[in-house]
Amino acid sequence: MNVVFDFGAVLFEWQPVELLRTHFSHLTPTAEAAQKLAVDMFHHEDWVAFDRGTRELPDVVAAMARRLALPADLLHGFLAPIGERLLPIDTTVALLEQLQQRRGSRGDVHLYYLSNMPSPFARVLESRHDFLRHFEGGIFSGDVKLAKPDPAIFELLAGRHGLVPTDTLFIDDSAANVAVARQLGWQAIHCTSPAELPAQVAALLPA
């Protein structure tokens, strides 16, 4: 069984609303205001293109500053270190390590990742977190100029590593990404609570 992990909100904490409330408190007096700013910032094509690797951070910051009427230096100071602010989710790291041990003892599990992640942030995570060595391979969107939910990035991962769809389990917090994986014949878990992942994965692994 191939197990493919997303990163944000699955393996690493990703709470943009809380980040914004911390760093832009004057703009986010309420949870609703913070949610709106998060959507305007992270669900706009400016950020999506950065995720996909087709725009660089300085260009994204300049465009976002104009669009949101925010100081560019303040935005850059918030966005540039996001890689350092992504903290591991302990439950999922423990699951990853258990699967790695099973791979070593039984050889029936293989571990990969498929993450929408700008290349600068991906390099930070690779340098900071030794547990990423448990993966046999994977793809960051920023490195290949493709991003989920585009089926092409799923097919690229499958082609690189010879993943058989029916023997592949994909874990992601995005319902849209999970839907595409299932359309391609992959098994999939829509991760809404990392604490539930160990039981969800165990239920789908071969006995």
Side-chain angles (χ1 to χ4, degrees), residues 36-50 55 59-72 75 79:
K36 183 180 184 306
L37 183 57
V39 170
D40 290 344
M41 190 173 290
F42 295 113
H43 293 270
H44 188 274
E45 177 58 24
D46 291 338
W47 184 263
V48 173
F50 180 43
R55 293 181 75 174
D59 179 37
V60 171
V61 166
M64 200 177 287
R66 290 191 299 270
R67 180 167 54 83
L68 300 178
L70 291 172
L75 265 177
L79 295 174

Side-chain angles (χ1 to χ4, degrees), residues 8-9 12-25 28 30-31 33-43 47 78-79 82 85-86 173:
F12 291 90
E13 293 182 6
W14 175 236
Q15 299 177 320
V17 171
E18 294 307 314
L19 285 174
L20 287 169
R21 296 201 78 175
T22 298
H23 293 273
F24 293 96
S25 57
T28 55
T30 65
Q35 181 65 44
K36 183 180 184 306
L37 183 57
V39 170
D40 290 344
M41 190 173 290
F42 295 113
H43 293 270
W47 184 263
F78 169 64
L79 295 174
I82 278 181
R85 296 184 181 130
L86 297 176
D173 69 309

Side-chain angles (χ1 to χ4, degrees), residues 9-205:
V10 173
L11 188 56
F12 291 90
E13 293 182 6
W14 175 236
Q15 299 177 320
V17 171
E18 294 307 314
L19 285 174
L20 287 169
R21 296 201 78 175
T22 298
H23 293 273
F24 293 96
S25 57
H26 62 295
L27 298 176
T28 55
T30 65
E32 291 76 12
Q35 181 65 44
K36 183 180 184 306
L37 183 57
V39 170
D40 290 344
M41 190 173 290
F42 295 113
H43 293 270
H44 188 274
E45 177 58 24
D46 291 338
W47 184 263
V48 173
F50 180 43
D51 245 357
R52 195 170 51 235
T54 53
R55 293 181 75 174
E56 300 294 329
L57 183 60
D59 179 37
V60 171
V61 166
M64 200 177 287
R66 290 191 299 270
R67 180 167 54 83
L68 300 178
L70 291 172
D73 58 344
L74 191 63
L75 265 177
H76 187 274
F78 169 64
L79 295 174
I82 278 181
E84 285 88 350
R85 296 184 181 130
L86 297 176
L87 301 177
I89 298 173
D90 292 341
T91 301
T92 314
V93 173
L95 171 62
L96 180 66
E97 292 174 343
Q98 290 164 9
L99 293 173
Q100 158 64 10
Q101 291 169 6
R102 173 166 171 160
R103 182 179 68 184
S105 63
R106 296 178 53 173
D108 64 345
V109 172
H110 300 279
L111 303 172
Y112 303 94
Y113 60 85
L114 184 61
S115 174
N116 283 358
M117 185 74 62
S119 296
F121 301 166
R123 303 292 85 82
V124 169
L125 295 180
E126 289 170 338
S127 69
R128 289 169 65 96
H129 301 290
D130 289 343
F131 61 80
L132 297 185
R133 71 182 186 279
H134 296 325
F135 290 110
E136 296 171 60
I139 289 176
F140 291 115
S141 59
D143 294 335
V144 297
K145 308 297 189 290
L146 292 168
K148 299 175 292 185
D150 186 340
I153 195 171
F154 293 82
E155 293 168 344
L156 181 61
L157 180 72
R160 281 186 178 180
H161 299 287
L163 308 186
V164 176
T166 53
D167 292 333
T168 300
L169 173 61
F170 176 63
I171 305 166
D172 200 293
D173 69 309
S174 163
N177 297 341
V178 165
V180 169
R182 288 175 175 158
Q183 289 166 9
L184 294 172
W186 298 19
Q187 300 182 60
I189 293 172
H190 181 203
C191 177
T192 57
S193 171
E196 298 175 8
L197 265 184
Q200 292 173 309
V201 170
L204 295 172
L205 289 180

